[in-house]
Amino acid sequence: MNDRGKIKVLIVDDSAIVRKLLAQALSQEPDLEVVGTAPDPYVARDKILSLEPDVITLDLEMPRMDGLTFLRKLMQFRPMPVIVISSLGQSGCKAALDALQAGAVEVLGKPGGPYSVGELQLHLPGKIRAAAAARVRVRESKPAPPMAASAPSTLSNSCLERVVAIGASTGGTEAILVVLQQFPKDCPPILIAQHIPAGFSRAFADRLNQICAMEVKEAVDGDWVGPGRALVAPGNFHMLLQRGGGGFVASVKTGPAVCYQRPSVDVMFRSVAQVAGSKAIGVILTGMGADGAEGMLEMHHAGAYNIAQDEASCVVFGMPREAIRLGGVDRVLPLSRVGAGIAAAMPAIKR
């Protein structure tokens, strides 16, 4: 922060128009200051040294050096909070997810893509604040292998009738990966609400599907919710649990943003409380704000067993803290033990 207590932001993008739009989106925020802009990573490197920004916004497609290469170098030599602002195309989505794995704390769509200018002005300041408060974590390049189906934590058939609902925001894409990798192919049904822009959620689900043992897919309305499957809420849509076809199905719908979010963790958790009740386990992971806290309390009142990620392992300890404060959490665990905590709770939840 500068001597006036403002969060210092450096904007890195080869487009002068985008640099101007991002600066304008932050110009009315009393606690934020754009201290500089840069058209490429080489200029950005010099300005990082001279201006010492608290947060960087980073384009990925730039001349002389692409943003992903620059991010990896930055995280190696001078780790700091980075928000990636990327295009919606397939290559842009993939690169944005690579950037999250390399240590970026957040991804947003470029103005004119998944974000309009108005939406950018609404969301970017909060993302900057969350990034400034984040613990920057760099994942290892090779994720741990998934459990084999014969591992001791494999769940019984009766447990597979239960539902696990996971909510996350800032830092959540990598946290969700860590949790899912702790489960074998025959996992219980899993619903995931991650705050993510429209267009990036499918790439996120596809990446999880490639790495994890179970099937992972972006949910569509009416999708079967069953064993061995994890469904990711699409960006800009709410996902709810419903009964149908003798079991559970996912409902994907539009509607007002809740806690400024769509998908909203609260919306998903409340539907799980109403439909699955005591047959559910709720998990709230790293993220800014309070989305999910009230919904998790409703799950708790309905007999569900709830787990929150602990502060030390969170990128941003906002959503878990609020859920704990409201009294809806049964157990607080480090990220590395959340999967085992879910498995351990399965035999104990009400049948």
Side-chain angles (χ1 to χ4, degrees):
M1 294 187 181
N2 62 21
D3 54 7
R4 291 170 291 171
K6 291 187 176 183
I7 297 169
K8 299 188 295 183
V9 183
L10 176 67
I11 297 170
V12 185
D13 197 296
D14 65 325
S15 167
I17 294 175
V18 172
R19 293 197 301 271
K20 182 177 179 180
L21 287 173
L22 296 180
Q24 288 177 342
L26 302 177
S27 62
Q28 302 302 313
E29 303 298 321
D31 60 331
L32 306 179
E33 180 182 7
V34 176
V35 294
T37 65
D40 65 53
Y42 290 95
V43 176
R45 176 195 59 192
D46 295 338
K47 292 199 173 183
I48 288 170
L49 294 174
S50 62
L51 300 173
E52 298 185 341
D54 302 301
V55 178
I56 295 175
T57 71
L58 179 65
D59 183 21
L60 295 181
E61 297 179 0
M62 290 184 292
R64 299 211 288 171
M65 180 189 295
D66 66 89
L68 185 58
T69 300
F70 175 65
L71 174 65
R72 288 171 174 154
K73 292 179 179 293
L74 183 67
M75 289 302 164
Q76 180 180 1
F77 296 106
R78 190 177 176 133
M80 61 189 309
V82 174
I83 295 176
V84 166
I85 300 183
S86 178
S87 62
L88 182 58
Q90 184 175 357
S91 61
C93 290
K94 180 183 181 301
L97 292 174
D98 288 340
L100 288 170
Q101 186 170 9
V105 299
E106 190 65 83
V107 58
L108 292 175
K110 274 202 167 185
Y115 273 90
S116 69
V117 174
E119 288 174 325
L120 184 73
Q121 291 174 332
L122 177 64
H123 291 280
L124 182 59
K127 301 294 186 182
I128 295 288
R129 295 182 186 103
R135 297 180 179 89
V136 177
R137 301 183 187 278
V138 183
R139 279 183 52 84
E140 295 181 4
S141 58
K142 293 185 179 180
M147 293 180 185
S150 59
S153 58
T154 298
L155 305 173
S156 67
N157 289 335
S158 62
C159 291
L160 296 177
E161 299 171 2
R162 314 309 171 197
V163 176
V164 177
I166 302 174
S169 185
T170 310
T173 55
E174 295 305 303
I176 288 167
L177 172 59
V178 171
V179 173
L180 293 193
Q181 283 187 295
Q182 296 173 46
F183 282 97
K185 184 176 181 179
D186 58 341
C187 67
I190 299 172
L191 296 177
I192 298 167
Q194 162 71 41
H195 297 164
I196 196 167
F200 292 98
S201 50
R202 176 170 294 182
F204 173 51
D206 289 346
R207 171 163 291 189
L208 291 175
N209 189 56
Q210 293 171 2
I211 297 173
C212 301
M214 75 290 291
E215 177 194 12
V216 186
K217 70 183 293 288
E218 183 185 54
V220 298
D221 192 50
D223 255 338
W224 172 66
V225 178
R229 170 176 269 199
L231 298 178
V232 176
N236 206 35
F237 287 89
H238 294 305
M239 181 172 67
L240 296 81
L241 182 67
Q242 293 184 339
R243 288 200 176 273
F248 296 128
V249 296
S251 171
V252 174
K253 58 192 294 185
T254 59
V258 175
C259 292
Y260 306 101
Q261 303 295 336
R262 190 172 51 237
S264 164
V265 181
D266 267 331
V267 169
M268 182 183 70
F269 279 175
R270 284 176 176 137
S271 72
V272 172
Q274 294 165 8
V275 174
S278 61
K279 294 184 177 181
I281 291 181
V283 180
I284 194 159
L285 302 176
T286 174
M288 180 182 181
D291 188 26
E294 292 186 359
M296 179 160 274
L297 183 61
E298 291 188 25
M299 288 183 66
H300 179 75
H301 290 326
Y305 188 91
N306 295 328
I307 296 171
Q309 184 179 350
D310 74 351
E311 182 174 5
S313 65
C314 279
V315 173
V316 177
F317 188 60
M319 289 161 54
R321 179 184 59 231
E322 291 303 305
I324 294 166
R325 184 183 65 82
L326 288 185
V329 174
D330 296 287
R331 195 171 185 193
V332 179
L333 293 172
L335 180 61
S336 62
R337 292 176 53 200
V338 169
I342 296 169
M346 281 288 176
I349 63 176
K350 298 176 183 178
R351 302 291 172 85

